[in-house]
Amino acid sequence: MTKPERTRVVAITGASSGIGLCSAALFAARGWRVGLISRSDARLVNAVALIASLTPGARLTHAAADVIDSEALSSAARSITAALGPIDVWVNAAGNGVYGRFTDVSEREFRRVTDVTYLGTVNGTRVALAHMQPRNEGSIVNVCSAVVFHGVPLMSSYSGAKAAVRAFGQSLRLELRLAGSRVRVGTLFPPAINTPFFDHAASHMGFPARPVPPVYAPEVAAEGVYACATGRGGEMILTGVVIAYALITRLSLRLAGYLVSKSDFASELPQDDAGSLPDRASAPALFQPQDSRCRMQGGFASRARGWSTHLRLLSIWRRLPTTRPLAGEPVARPPAATDLRPARPGAQSPATRAGADRDHPQAGSAQPRRTASDSIR
């Protein structure tokens, strides 16, 4: 009699907000055991409660660690393993940013963005490999950005850090392949995502940071993280507009630079309603975590697209016979990430009415409207 497969385990850094939190909720909804890692223990407690309200009975644990502290990150991984079992997937989703001209950004701020966004990914990957290589299996997902194809103005620290993340992933992927390892490394390139990143980022522009349209809902990015984690590794572009952006950079860097320079970087994109976000940052969270409640959404929900045609096509491709799921993963199509939020603005799911709105009224924000088109920056 064959031994039944155990439930898979995922560990996610940057899990108290944005893409990390939304990905944790998606993995939990699909039956995974989820370990959440972030700097603030209080925010992690809130994040676990939010996910538990969306998916009652989910197996969750959390461990506080700053990704620039490799020893704390190793301790967090050991804590997650003790509580949930061996880690099958590790997601590096922690990141931060500073907006402003390079000469206006201090050396201390620039270094902090590089430490968290790039070296935090390196530290997380090192810890993940320590747990996966002895078993010769596992998957690492590095959440990168479309800015790797061409850096954008007023984000030099972030653009440089994300470019380093991509090159690091390429090098490591080949090293593992040459060693005959079964550990997979995936790099995800999302577009602008409506997350609290823009509230948390420091700004030297005279107004708060904001995404450059088109903007997508964090559920789209979470779907991409899940597809990358359960796929065959390698690089994964999340939407069709990023594909076009990448192709233009291959065709002509001068043309790509011209198009980027014509983007509306120098004006403020208004939020939906500042009053709807009572935990909006009054100060950036570059060096210290905020005491505010955790949120998946940022302040641009009415402008955010809730689905991607390209991602749906990727999902179909992944279900073809040539695509092998992770051992123990159900063959049936799991619930979509959009199931984690109401189908229309203002609607509430039963789970949300049962727990999230009662116990955590500020844990989310207005949900994005669905559109019939698809693009990215």
Side-chain angles (χ1 to χ4, degrees):
M1 184 175 181
T2 59
K3 186 177 181 180
E5 294 286 349
R6 64 177 176 82
T7 304
R8 311 295 289 185
V9 176
V10 58
I12 303 176
T13 67
S16 65
S17 69
I19 294 175
L21 176 59
C22 197
S23 298
L26 178 59
F27 276 96
R30 294 182 177 177
W32 289 58
R33 299 181 180 183
V34 183
L36 292 80
I37 302 173
S38 185
R39 288 179 294 174
S40 170
D41 188 72
R43 287 174 59 82
L44 285 170
V45 170
N46 184 266
V48 167
L50 173 61
I51 297 173
S53 71
L54 295 172
T55 307
R59 288 289 304 276
L60 308 166
T61 190
H62 67 276
D66 193 323
V67 293
I68 69 171
D69 186 341
S70 57
E71 289 298 324
L73 208 53
S74 295
S75 177
R78 291 192 296 270
S79 176
I80 290 172
T81 299
L84 303 179
I87 297 172
D88 302 289
V89 170
W90 181 284
V91 179
N92 289 305
N96 57 9
V98 175
Y99 282 75
R101 294 183 179 88
F102 170 69
T103 52
D104 293 332
V105 177
S106 70
E107 180 181 350
R108 180 169 178 257
E109 290 174 321
F110 201 102
R111 183 180 297 276
R112 177 65 180 178
V113 173
T114 304
D115 285 347
V116 173
T117 306
Y118 172 51
L119 293 180
T121 296
V122 173
N123 291 339
T125 300
R126 193 184 305 277
V127 171
L129 288 175
H131 285 257
M132 295 175 182
Q133 284 187 310
R135 309 194 321 267
N136 195 28
E137 63 177 359
S139 179
I140 300 169
V141 177
N142 296 328
V143 179
C144 203
S145 171
V147 303
V148 302
F149 300 109
H150 197 292
V152 297
L154 306 180
M155 293 188 73
S156 57
S157 56
Y158 183 81
S159 297
K162 287 299 188 182
V165 168
R166 184 190 189 188
F168 166 70
Q170 291 172 334
S171 297
L172 178 60
R173 194 175 301 115
L174 290 179
E175 287 183 15
L176 293 172
R177 183 182 302 170
L178 291 173
S181 174
R182 296 177 59 191
V183 177
R184 301 184 299 280
V185 177
T187 306
L188 182 69
F189 305 115
I193 303 294
N194 177 39
T195 70
F197 175 90
F198 306 98
D199 291 338
H200 298 170
S203 174
H204 296 279
M205 300 185 297
F207 51 83
R210 82 288 181 276
V212 177
V215 185
Y216 284 77
E219 289 84 0
V220 175
E223 279 279 15
V225 169
Y226 188 87
C228 199
T230 57
R232 291 170 287 185
E235 297 186 336
M236 178 179 172
I237 295 177
L238 193 52
T239 62
V241 175
V242 174
I243 292 179
Y245 182 51
L247 290 176
I248 290 173
T249 61
R250 284 182 173 271
L251 176 66
S252 171
L253 282 176
R254 178 173 294 182
L255 174 61
Y258 172 79
L259 294 175
V260 170
S261 68
K262 291 301 181 181
S263 299
D264 192 16
F265 286 95
S267 64
E268 181 177 7
L269 180 67
Q271 292 209 356
D272 297 333
D273 180 5
S276 68
L277 299 174
D279 57 344
R280 176 173 167 77
S282 58
L286 194 60
F287 297 101
Q288 296 294 331
Q290 292 182 347
D291 294 329
S292 57
R293 291 186 180 274
C294 58
R295 290 187 283 119
M296 300 179 192
Q297 298 275 351
F300 307 92
S302 66
R303 297 169 176 82
R305 303 180 178 189
W307 61 285
S308 162
T309 300
H310 175 65
L311 184 57
R312 291 186 177 183
L313 292 176
L314 282 177
S315 297
I316 294 173
W317 177 81
R318 289 181 62 250
R319 292 200 296 271
L320 296 178
T322 54
T323 302
R324 295 182 178 179
L326 287 173
E329 188 182 43
V331 177
R333 178 73 173 101
T338 50
D339 293 341
L340 297 175
R341 59 184 174 84
R344 62 184 186 280
Q348 292 180 317
S349 66
T352 304
R353 287 194 299 269
D357 286 350
R358 183 182 67 247
D359 299 327
H360 306 278
Q362 300 172 354
S365 63
Q367 301 299 334
R369 298 186 181 95
R370 293 176 178 269
T371 64
S373 60
D374 172 39
S375 64
I376 65 192
R377 69 175 169 132

